[in-house]
Amino acid sequence: MRRRLSTSAHDEEMEKANGKSPPSRLCFLATLAAMFWIMIFYFHFTVLSSNPISIPEQSVPFPSISSKSQRISEAYEALELLKMMAKPKPKPSDVHLDTHKAPEVFPFTRALQTIENNTDPCGGRYIYVHDLPSRFNADMLRDCRQLSLWTNMCKFTSNAGLGPPLENVEGVFSNTGWYATNQFAVDVIFNNRMKQYECLTKDSSIAAAFFVPFYAGFDIALSLGIQHLS
C-alpha cells in the first residue's frame, strides 16, 4: 500500500511538473452526446430518405345528392301507398246511397234558376233594396241645412239629388240635362234611380244584386266640422 500511494503521488507530481491537467467528465459527456446526434442524423438521411413511408390515400365516399333525393322520393311513395291502404273502401251500399243523394242547395240557387225562366222578363235582374231606418237617409235630407257649415245643401238635395239646373246665360251648355250637382249627393241620385227600377223584389232569395240606401256622403259631411274627430 505504501508503494502504490507513493507511486500515484509520484505520477501526480510528474503531471504537474509537465503542466497537464486530468480530463474532466464534462468533456466526456459532450463527446457522447455529439456521437448520439450524429448517429440520429445519419439514420434519418440515409435510411428514411431512401425509403419514404407512403400512406395510401383512401377516398371517403360521400353520398351523392341524387341518391338522397331518390331515397326521399321513395319514402314519399311508401307513405302514399300506406295512406291508400289505410283508407277504407266504400261499401256497395254506400255508393248506392251517394248516387241518390239530394243536390246541395245554396242561397243563390233560386236567383240562378230565374235566369233559366224565359217567361220572366226580370229573370236574373232582380234587385233587393234594404229597408234602413230613416236616420241613414231621409232624416239627413230633412235636416239639409246642417249638412254643411259653409254651404246651403238644401238646393243640392232637391230635384232627386241632381240639384238646380245650371244657368246657361252664354249658351255654353244645352238647354236641358245640366244641373248644379254636389259630389256628396251621389247617394241620393242612386237611391231615387233605384226606386224607378222595374225589377225590384221583396224576396231576397231571387235577387241578383242588393242595394243599401245609406247616404254615406252626407254622413261624412256631418262630421267634417267636428274638431278632434278620429
Side-chain angles (χ1 to χ4, degrees):
M1 292 294 293
R2 291 180 180 178
R3 289 181 181 179
R4 291 180 180 176
L5 291 174
S6 61
T7 304
S8 60
H10 183 266
D11 293 337
E12 289 178 359
E13 290 177 359
M14 290 294 292
E15 290 178 357
K16 289 179 180 180
N18 294 331
K20 295 180 180 181
S21 61
S24 62
R25 294 182 179 179
L26 183 61
C27 294
F28 177 74
L29 292 175
T31 305
L32 184 61
M35 292 297 294
F36 175 75
W37 283 107
I38 289 171
M39 292 296 294
I40 288 177
F41 283 119
Y42 175 78
F43 178 78
H44 176 73
F45 287 107
T46 57
V47 178
L48 295 181
S49 61
S50 60
N51 297 320
I53 300 173
S54 60
I55 301 174
E57 297 182 358
Q58 296 180 357
S59 60
V60 180
F62 292 96
S64 61
I65 298 175
S66 59
S67 62
K68 286 185 177 180
S69 60
Q70 185 177 1
R71 291 178 182 176
I72 293 172
S73 61
E74 290 177 356
Y76 275 115
E77 291 177 359
L79 287 175
E80 292 295 332
L81 182 60
L82 290 175
K83 289 180 181 179
M84 293 176 62
M85 294 175 64
K87 187 177 180 180
K89 296 182 179 180
K91 298 179 181 179
S93 58
D94 296 338
V95 175
H96 181 70
L97 291 175
D98 291 337
T99 55
H100 296 283
K101 187 178 180 180
E104 296 183 7
V105 179
F106 297 97
F108 51 85
T109 303
R110 291 189 60 193
L112 295 176
Q113 290 174 353
T114 58
I115 302 175
E116 301 174 357
N117 188 3
N118 297 326
T119 60
D120 187 2
C122 292
R125 299 172 56 229
Y126 286 106
I127 294 179
Y128 178 82
V129 180
H130 286 275
D131 187 13
L132 297 181
S134 59
R135 61 190 179 91
F136 291 106
N137 40 50
D139 291 350
M140 296 181 187
L141 299 181
R142 187 184 65 241
D143 301 331
C144 57
R145 292 186 179 274
Q146 299 179 4
L147 294 177
S148 177
L149 298 176
W150 308 278
T151 307
N152 183 10
M153 295 295 296
C154 292
K155 66 177 182 178
F156 295 108
T157 58
S158 62
N159 194 17
L162 294 175
L166 285 176
E167 297 180 359
N168 192 15
V169 179
E170 299 179 358
V172 178
F173 309 108
S174 59
N175 294 326
T176 58
W178 292 89
Y179 302 95
T181 306
N182 188 274
Q183 68 269 24
F184 294 113
V186 177
D187 296 325
V188 182
I189 298 173
F190 271 95
N191 190 18
N192 286 283
R193 290 295 179 90
M194 196 59 64
K195 291 178 181 178
Q196 302 173 13
Y197 186 62
E198 67 274 9
C199 292
L200 296 177
T201 179
K202 296 294 183 180
D203 188 0
S204 60
S205 63
I206 63 173
F210 296 85
F211 179 73
V212 181
F214 170 53
Y215 297 163
F218 286 154
D219 187 59
I220 294 173
L222 289 171
S223 304
L224 291 178
I226 301 176
Q227 296 181 355
H228 307 291
L229 180 66
S230 60

